[in-house]
Structures are given as structure tokens and as C-alpha cells.
Amino acid sequence: MKRSILYMICGGLLSLTACKKTIDLYPESNLNTGTYYSNLTELTAGLTACYNGLQTPLNTEWALTELRSDNTMQRDPGSSNNDNTEFNALDMFMPSTTNTWIYDYWKATYSNIRNANIVLEKLGVVYDSTKGETEFKAINLPIEDADRKRLAGEALIIRAHHYFNMVRLFGGVFLIPRSISPKEAKTINRSSRESIYKFIVADLTAAKDAMPTTKYTQMAAADKGRVTGYTAKGMLAKVYLTMGNKSAAIPLLTDVKDNSGYGLESNYTNVFSTSNEVNKEILFTVRFKAGGLGLGSPFANWFAPYSSQTNVINGDGKGWNYPTREIDTLVLLPNSDPRRSTLIGTYTVSKFPLYVKKFFSPVTIANDAENDWPVLRYSDILLMLAEAQGFNANSMALINMVHTRGGQNPELIEIDSQQEFEEALAQERRIEFAFENQRFFDLVRFNTTLNTIKAIEVMQKHFENEFATHYKNYASLTLDDLKARVTTEKLLLPIPQTELDTNPEFGIPQNPGY
């Protein structure tokens, strides 16, 4: 039986993938979290491991987000392949509690939360649940206070990022703000959503207050790609929007917009170019590095057309994350959106000709692409500010800044009502962030903060649009059956069954509907 993730986060040596280890003064076999992380070099190595640890959850995240939105769907409904069967279940809002992709995401996320916890503990960072504050305690390490706060802020942002995704996907999860023992793990149950959000806000608030807010234009080249105080502000604003607190988001977003030195790239394609990484639009990204180092991106191969052999990419493609006809039509009609050439590729020989092109670059080794994966971009700051401000001239100007970047698109037609504004904003976000794992979260957020765009309504309409050409190919599946699966309960994923089975006496509750 697989071990519960609670046992996996109880400690252990933090992985130092792609980091230089200091082993000349101490036998490597004796390295552990009690003897390591005693100076700036070692703490920086631990933080690098946290950055590298962002990759593994991302390998699964697309299947829990984009595949459960109206942007993509499972390529082959008739396949009995185990991966495809589990993708089908996610696509149709019927995953089992033993779905491998859900468990892999859960496991990888908590593994990196553990990594961040270890670094934060060494830096004297403690979460006080009573006060709802993340605090800095005295430490006895040879490290300057500025370095301490910068490293801690970066680790806090990474930890908050993971918990923000977890609470939006699963609801209340296990709140683990520090290393714990196996015995203690058996006493921990799920926390409420409110407690998780309180924790996320505390971490991001501490990060934004502790970290320097160096303008992008003044950053050293070696620091670009790292999260900053402005990253913390942008992420905290998105958390506030998700919580329905627009007024708290506005000053944070305004600060980033006006003072951060970040900005829009003049051309949409440039944002994702492997020759223009960590550009002025990128506030937070998951870095990948090609070259046979074990740090390359798999998505170029995973998303390339199935059985295209070497005609599209070296090493063939899996055809996963297949774009819907809806998203393709949206960026083609009535006037072709110039972003389409970056978003979607076409391989006409295939039965399934469309593929996600956004994270595509030629590879020498299969599953070893260079493409980074953005988490927070400057265009997101602008569109979140429009969302927070509501329907007015300033908000429309922000949407048009993104829509028309570099003169690529004509301005949006005149918007005359709150409903039209909400629809225009939702559509702009859908295209701008297509395949970046944001659409599902947007739909759920709009379900509570906007009046006309609702996740259930959108997904039921998606099934209607794609039923005749795709979903009807499932045996014994009617459109009404499919639409009935999209419920408020099923907007959350199930807690992996392993967690429930490991400690049945404690009574860890499953999400309703599973």
C-alpha cells in the first residue's frame, strides 16, 4: 500500500537536485536537516531545491485544471489505455478517489511543501495560527538579515502557491506549516477552507513585507526568474479576488502596475520564446532547462500530436491536453486573433489535428524541452485590476492594453453594460492565459465574484457544444448524463483514497459526492 503523504512530509533530507552540495567537511551519508542549512550557501541550495520542486506538481496540474475546463479535452474517448481512462474521468467530472493523476499531484505538492517548511524553519519563520500571522523569530546563523528575509520570502511564496492551488482544487486540506513526526501526523485532520486561506494570506503578507521590491529594470540578471516582493503582492491580490475581497486587491495590483518595472511584451509570442525567458512580463514562472540534466520540460512531447512520429517533434507526441473546437473557433472567428499561432498548432495528417503549441520548442531528447511555464504574468496583473475595479473606463482601458498589445488586435468593441464587461473580461482571460492552467480557476472564481459567468453553466454548455463530435463516442453516454455530472460538489476533486485508508480510525472526511 502507498504511504500517506502525511508520513512523507514528516522530514527527511531535502533533495538538492541540480544544486552543489558542500560535502568536503562532512560525510554525505551523515547529511540531514539537523546538520545542513547552517549558512547562506547551504540555505540557498535548499531554496533552489524548492524551486526545482515546482516542476513535478506541474506535470499533473494541467489534467486537474485545463482538462476540466472548456479549453481542452481528452483526445481519444474510446481508448482503454489506463492514462487515457483516468484522463477521461477527469474530463467528464467523474474521477475516482484512486485516480493516479490526482494522487501524484497531491503527493508532489506536499513533498515540496515539506521542502519549503524545512528552509523556513531554519530561517526562523513560524506560523501562529491563533493570530493568523507568519512571524520571524530569532536565529543563530551567520546570515545577514536582508538575505534571511529574501530567502524566507521566496520560500513563503512557493509554499503559498502550493496551498492556493490545493485549496482551490480540494477545498480544506492538511495544514502543515512545519516539519512533523510520524506520530504527530496521525493526529492531524483536514483544516477548513477558511483556515487554509488565512494561512496563505499570512504567508504572502509576510513575504511582501519582508522582501525587497526591486524594479524589474534594476534587477541583476542572475536574480531574474526568482520571485520578488511584487510577486507576493500580485499573488496576494489573486487570493483576495478568489475570496471575494476586491477592495483589498486593488492597492496591491495598482502598486505592481505602476511601480514594479514589469510590463507587457510588445508581441505575444515573445512572452513564451525560449530565447526571451524571464522577460519583463514574467513575475513568477516554473523554470525548465534542456540538455539532459533531468530538468527539461516534458510538455512539448506530451502535447504534440499523437503518433506524429518525428514530423512535429523529435520523440513523437502523446496528444494530451487536446484543444477544444470552442477555443480554436474563439481565436479564429470573427477575425483571427494573432495569439492563435502561439497557442494552437495544426497537424492535418492526424485524426486529431490540433495541439497545444504554447510550450513547444524543438528537442534533442524527448521530454527535455527548454520552455518555462508562467504562473503569474504582468498581463494577469492588468486583467485582475480590471476585475477588481469593475465596469468603468479605466478597467476597459486595461483590458484593451492586453488585447491590443503591440497593435496586434483591434480594440474591443464598445461595452455598454456590466454583463458585457464581465463577458469581455472572461473571454480576454480565456485567450490570454489559454493552456496556462488558469481557466478552471477563473471559472470557479467568477462563479463567486461575477454575476453571469458561472463554472457549472459554462461547463454544461461546453458539453453541449462538443457532444455531437466528441463525447457521444463514449458508450452509453447521453448529453443529459454528462451535464448532470457537473455539480458544485464535483468542482472539487476527491481527497486521495490513500489518505483515508492510512488512518481510518481518525475519520478523515472525503469531499461530498465521492
Side-chain angles (χ1 to χ4, degrees):
M1 178 182 294
K2 296 179 180 177
R3 290 182 297 167
S4 164
I5 194 64
L6 284 180
Y7 290 96
M8 299 177 62
I9 63 179
C10 292
L13 180 62
L14 175 58
S15 170
L16 300 178
T17 305
C19 298
K20 185 181 294 185
K21 296 181 181 180
T22 304
I23 60 176
D24 53 333
L25 299 179
Y26 199 81
E28 184 174 0
S29 61
N30 291 336
L31 284 176
N32 56 60
T33 59
T35 56
Y36 203 69
Y37 310 123
S38 60
N39 55 51
L40 178 60
T41 299
E42 293 174 353
L43 287 163
T44 299
L47 182 62
T48 299
C50 296
Y51 276 105
N52 290 344
L54 291 166
Q55 290 185 351
T56 306
L58 191 61
N59 289 343
T60 309
E61 188 178 296
W62 64 271
L64 311 186
T65 53
E66 289 295 296
L67 194 58
R68 297 171 67 227
S69 79
D70 52 348
N71 278 352
T72 68
M73 55 190 180
Q74 162 56 15
R75 169 182 50 81
D76 188 354
S79 173
S80 59
N81 173 276
N82 185 64
D83 283 335
N84 290 340
T85 299
E86 293 196 323
F87 289 150
N88 289 339
L90 287 163
D91 185 9
M92 297 189 298
F93 284 77
M94 50 176 287
S96 71
T97 61
T98 58
N99 186 286
T100 302
W101 293 87
I102 294 174
Y103 180 68
D104 286 350
Y105 182 83
W106 177 281
K107 180 172 58 174
T109 297
Y110 269 113
S111 177
N112 207 39
I113 288 172
R114 174 199 62 193
N115 291 347
N117 282 344
I118 294 172
V119 172
L120 289 167
E121 285 179 355
K122 294 299 178 180
L123 292 168
V125 179
V126 176
Y127 175 65
D128 188 325
S129 59
T130 303
K131 294 191 292 186
E133 295 178 359
T134 298
E135 302 172 330
F136 286 78
K137 302 294 186 181
I139 59 173
N140 185 25
L141 290 178
I143 181 172
E144 296 292 331
D145 189 59
D147 289 328
R148 176 198 181 191
K149 289 182 176 179
R150 175 181 57 80
L151 294 174
E154 292 179 54
L156 284 168
I157 290 172
I158 290 171
R159 184 168 74 176
H161 162 73
H162 285 312
Y163 268 108
F164 189 34
N165 284 345
M166 290 290 278
V167 72
R168 289 183 293 175
L169 289 171
F170 296 96
V173 290
F174 299 110
L175 180 53
I176 314 293
R178 57 185 175 80
S179 299
I180 58 175
S181 68
K183 181 178 180 180
E184 187 178 1
K186 296 187 71 173
T187 68
I188 296 175
N189 209 325
R190 296 174 62 186
S191 295
S192 67
R193 287 199 219 194
E194 292 75 18
S195 295
I196 300 296
Y197 274 112
K198 185 178 180 181
F199 176 58
I200 295 168
V201 169
D203 272 7
L204 292 175
T205 300
K208 80 173 178 63
D209 292 342
M211 298 180 74
T213 49
T214 306
K215 290 181 180 291
Y216 175 82
T217 50
Q218 298 172 352
M219 290 174 62
D223 290 335
K224 292 180 179 178
R226 292 186 173 276
V227 292
T228 69
Y230 285 117
T231 307
K233 292 179 180 182
M235 288 183 61
L236 181 56
K238 182 169 283 190
V239 172
Y240 281 140
L241 283 178
T242 303
M243 297 170 68
N245 190 351
K246 294 182 180 181
S247 61
I250 291 175
L252 294 166
L253 295 166
T254 302
D255 186 15
V256 178
K257 171 182 171 292
D258 294 342
N259 301 315
S260 68
Y262 289 89
L264 292 176
E265 286 288 307
S266 60
N267 184 287
Y268 187 71
T269 302
N270 290 346
V271 179
F272 310 97
S273 171
T274 56
S275 62
N276 190 40
E277 295 178 328
V278 295
N279 55 69
K280 66 179 181 180
E281 190 158 332
I282 304 298
L283 281 82
F284 186 5
T285 190
V286 180
R287 306 289 323 264
F288 288 92
K289 182 64 177 177
L293 305 172
L295 296 172
S297 166
F299 301 112
N301 286 95
W302 287 6
F303 298 165
Y306 176 67
S307 292
S308 54
Q309 299 178 14
T310 59
N311 294 311
V312 174
I313 190 170
N314 184 47
D316 207 349
K318 290 184 177 292
W320 291 347
N321 214 23
Y322 185 75
T324 62
R325 291 182 308 112
E326 300 165 73
I327 187 67
D328 192 41
T329 300
L330 182 63
V331 294
L332 278 175
L333 301 172
N335 299 308
S336 181
D337 192 304
R339 289 172 287 194
R340 184 191 186 275
S341 61
T342 303
L343 296 173
I344 300 174
T346 305
Y347 179 61
T348 57
V349 176
S350 175
K351 176 183 177 183
F352 304 97
L354 303 179
Y355 64 95
V356 172
K357 191 179 177 185
K358 199 171 208 174
F359 308 103
F360 182 92
S361 62
V363 299
T364 301
I365 304 170
N367 304 323
D368 188 45
E370 180 71 21
N371 310 74
D372 294 343
W373 190 294
V375 175
L376 182 66
R377 299 199 274 120
Y378 186 75
S379 57
D380 201 356
I381 299 298
L382 299 181
L383 294 180
M384 283 194 292
L385 182 54
E387 180 182 337
Q389 292 177 160
F391 177 39
N392 59 40
N394 289 335
S395 295
M396 286 306 306
L398 292 171
I399 297 175
N400 270 312
M401 285 176 63
V402 175
H403 185 74
T404 64
R405 71 163 75 213
Q408 293 183 95
N409 267 325
E411 287 200 1
L412 296 173
I413 61 173
E414 186 174 348
I415 303 298
D416 296 320
S417 68
Q418 175 71 19
Q419 180 176 341
E420 289 179 352
F421 167 76
E422 292 172 353
E423 291 172 350
L425 175 62
Q427 179 165 306
E428 192 62 34
R429 287 191 63 86
R430 184 181 183 188
I431 298 173
E432 177 71 14
F433 307 116
F435 316 128
E436 293 180 41
N437 300 349
Q438 293 217 41
R439 175 63 171 172
F440 177 79
F441 292 141
D442 282 353
L443 290 175
V444 174
R445 184 172 79 253
F446 294 163
N447 196 40
T448 58
T449 63
L450 296 181
N451 296 323
T452 58
I453 308 297
K454 299 183 183 295
I456 294 175
E457 295 173 5
V458 169
M459 290 311 299
Q460 289 181 341
K461 184 66 175 178
H462 157 71
F463 288 136
E464 290 178 5
N465 292 338
E466 300 285 355
F467 187 80
T469 58
H470 182 74
Y471 290 104
K472 74 173 184 181
N473 295 319
Y474 292 91
S476 304
L477 181 67
T478 69
L479 177 58
D480 287 342
D481 290 339
L482 187 56
K483 290 170 62 177
R485 291 173 177 169
V486 189
T487 64
T488 302
E489 292 177 340
K490 290 299 178 67
L491 292 179
L492 292 178
L493 293 167
I495 303 300
Q497 190 64 38
T498 301
E499 297 298 334
L500 281 61
D501 292 344
T502 301
N503 197 351
E505 297 85 3
F506 195 59
I508 297 172
Q510 181 57 272
N511 281 333
Y514 294 100

